[in-house]
Amino acid sequence: MGCVILRRENGGYEGKQGGIFTEGVSAESVGAKGLCLHVLHIPANSRGEPHLHAGHESAIYVVSGAHEIWHGEDLSNRDTLHPGDMVYVPANMPHMPVTGEEPVTVVVARTDPREQESVHLLSPRDP
């Protein structure tokens, strides 16, 4: 098998942790064995679901939209992210994006080729 090109028009899906994922590189789309790469669109004035990725590391690149990432065991660590920032999320680290007045677009790479398989939602967040 040679290189596989994915076009944006191939569609996307809603992740169980929130946001709309543009179909990207994964086990399902191209037969990837050790990684996934997706573009995630998060609406303005929203919170993702608190979650972690069991056994898998993630890297995030912020394309557009300033927002916060809440992280840590009780999500009490809160950092503001801006376009051009990169974030490393260790395996099993609870985290959640929180957007403000503008929508957010990020590129997400993960060591889980089945992307949604390692997503574990945590207890429901406060309203």
Side-chain angles (χ1 to χ4, degrees), residues 58-72:
S58 300
I60 302 166
Y61 174 75
V62 182
V63 176
S64 64
H67 65 290
E68 289 186 336
I69 183 170
W70 296 6
H71 57 97

Side-chain angles (χ1 to χ4, degrees), residues 3-125:
C3 294
V4 177
I5 308 301
L6 297 172
R7 305 277 183 217
R8 186 176 185 139
E9 63 269 12
N10 288 351
Y13 61 92
E14 185 172 350
K16 57 184 165 181
Q17 69 270 49
I20 303 298
F21 288 80
T22 298
E23 182 181 36
V25 173
S26 67
E28 295 82 4
S29 65
V30 301
K33 304 287 188 235
L35 63 84
C36 72
L37 179 69
H38 296 281
V39 177
L40 170 59
H41 306 279
I42 309 168
N45 301 307
S46 70
R47 290 184 183 187
E49 294 293 333
H51 67 283
L52 58 81
H53 300 274
H56 292 283
E57 299 171 296
S58 300
I60 302 166
Y61 174 75
V62 182
V63 176
S64 64
H67 65 290
E68 289 186 336
I69 183 170
W70 296 6
H71 57 97
E73 288 305 315
D74 57 1
L75 299 175
S76 64
N77 298 313
R78 296 177 180 181
D79 291 292
T80 301
L81 304 175
H82 300 278
D85 288 349
M86 293 186 201
V87 180
Y88 167 69
V89 181
N92 307 308
M93 172 63 63
H95 61 287
M96 171 178 82
V98 178
T99 64
E101 296 297 316
E102 56 188 330
V104 170
T105 298
V106 297
V107 175
V108 180
R110 189 167 301 110
T111 58
D112 180 3
R114 298 212 177 270
E115 207 283 317
Q116 291 286 293
E117 191 169 292
S118 71
V119 176
H120 290 279
L121 298 179
L122 303 175
S123 60
R125 64 180 181 261

